[in-house]
Amino acid sequence: EDSHPTLADVARAEKAAYDAIAEEGVRHYERACEEYEVEYSAWENEQAKSASTKSNQQILDRRLASKDRRPIIANTLFNKVVRLSGDAVTKHKKTYKYWFVLTYIPDLQWCRLAPMFQDGFHGEERKKSAGRPKWKLVDEKVGHEIDISAEVCTVVKSKALRKTADADMEEWDIIDDDIVDGDGDGNNEYA
């Protein structure tokens, strides 16, 4: 008998791994919802107690009159380059080191990531990037995009160099702590 796994066996094993990651994301989301409900309930009770002393309009007027008018900025991962952390590293790092955030859903803390690959090095025409690896998106036809919790995504300092509207045509210079000039030859290698 042939003891090698079939393609269907391999596909089921890969799907099971993704299902486990998705289940962990769902559990994380449910815990976050429970925490939110508790905090929101406490906030509502606090607001009900203070309603007798101040109206919402008074609070709003005071904030508008204040010099501290910092905008509320939503934490966004959209169009960022990220590395994976936690259990996701062992699952995906062996194949790809960096990922590009195609879609970010803040309410769910969920991302759709496209893997990136090194495509040579930046030349002398890019003075600040010269000698560093050039990164591009893996073709979407390969089908390696993943949906994953934003909790395991760590933003990496990067710069889109071609400034194209189409991410598939873009090239990135990634400035990461793991990139070093280990042998002093002026060429950057990975630690």
Side-chain angles (χ1 to χ4, degrees):
E1 282 186 32
D2 189 9
S3 64
H4 297 290
T6 66
L7 197 53
D9 292 336
V10 172
R12 275 193 292 278
E14 287 181 359
K15 183 181 182 303
Y18 284 110
D19 288 345
I21 292 169
E23 288 174 15
E24 176 56 34
V26 168
R27 284 192 296 275
H28 169 74
Y29 173 74
E30 289 171 348
R31 284 191 306 269
C33 286
E34 289 171 5
E35 290 173 9
Y36 169 79
E37 290 298 327
V38 169
E39 290 175 11
Y40 185 73
S41 177
W43 177 82
E44 280 184 320
N45 291 337
E46 184 180 314
Q47 294 304 309
K49 290 177 186 175
S50 67
S52 61
T53 58
K54 300 175 186 171
S55 72
N56 288 340
Q57 188 60 46
Q58 289 173 323
I59 294 169
L60 180 60
D61 290 344
R62 187 171 351 118
R63 181 164 183 224
L64 291 173
S66 163
K67 291 183 181 179
D68 183 16
R69 293 190 189 170
R70 293 174 292 184
I72 299 169
I73 300 171
N75 181 12
T76 182
L77 291 174
F78 185 67
N79 282 345
K80 301 282 195 232
V81 174
V82 298
R83 295 174 86 179
L84 301 179
S85 59
D87 292 338
V89 172
T90 56
K91 174 65 183 154
H92 303 288
K93 186 176 181 179
K94 61 186 169 210
T95 313
Y96 300 106
K97 182 171 186 170
Y98 298 110
W99 300 79
F100 181 74
V101 181
L102 296 170
T103 306
Y104 173 57
I105 305 171
D107 295 351
L108 301 175
Q109 289 292 299
W110 206 252
C111 299
R112 178 152 189 89
L113 305 179
M116 301 178 79
F117 72 101
Q118 183 180 338
D119 185 34
F121 294 88
H122 293 287
E124 295 300 319
E125 70 278 1
R126 301 254 184 225
K127 299 214 183 300
K128 291 183 179 180
S129 304
R132 282 204 293 263
K134 183 189 315 180
W135 293 89
K136 292 183 174 183
L137 295 186
V138 171
D139 190 325
E140 63 188 313
K141 293 175 188 163
V142 175
H144 290 177
E145 294 176 358
I146 61 171
D147 294 316
I148 198 162
S149 170
E151 183 179 73
V152 298
C153 298
T154 304
V155 175
V156 176
K157 185 176 179 184
S158 64
K159 183 172 183 167
L161 299 176
R162 298 183 83 197
K163 308 290 186 213
T164 65
D166 183 0
D168 292 326
M169 304 303 296
E170 190 58 77
E171 295 175 353
W172 284 267
D173 179 16
I174 298 177
I175 301 96
D176 194 356
D177 293 338
D178 282 355
I179 301 175
V180 295
D181 181 10
D183 52 10
D185 65 357
N187 294 322
N188 297 308
E189 297 92 16
Y190 285 90

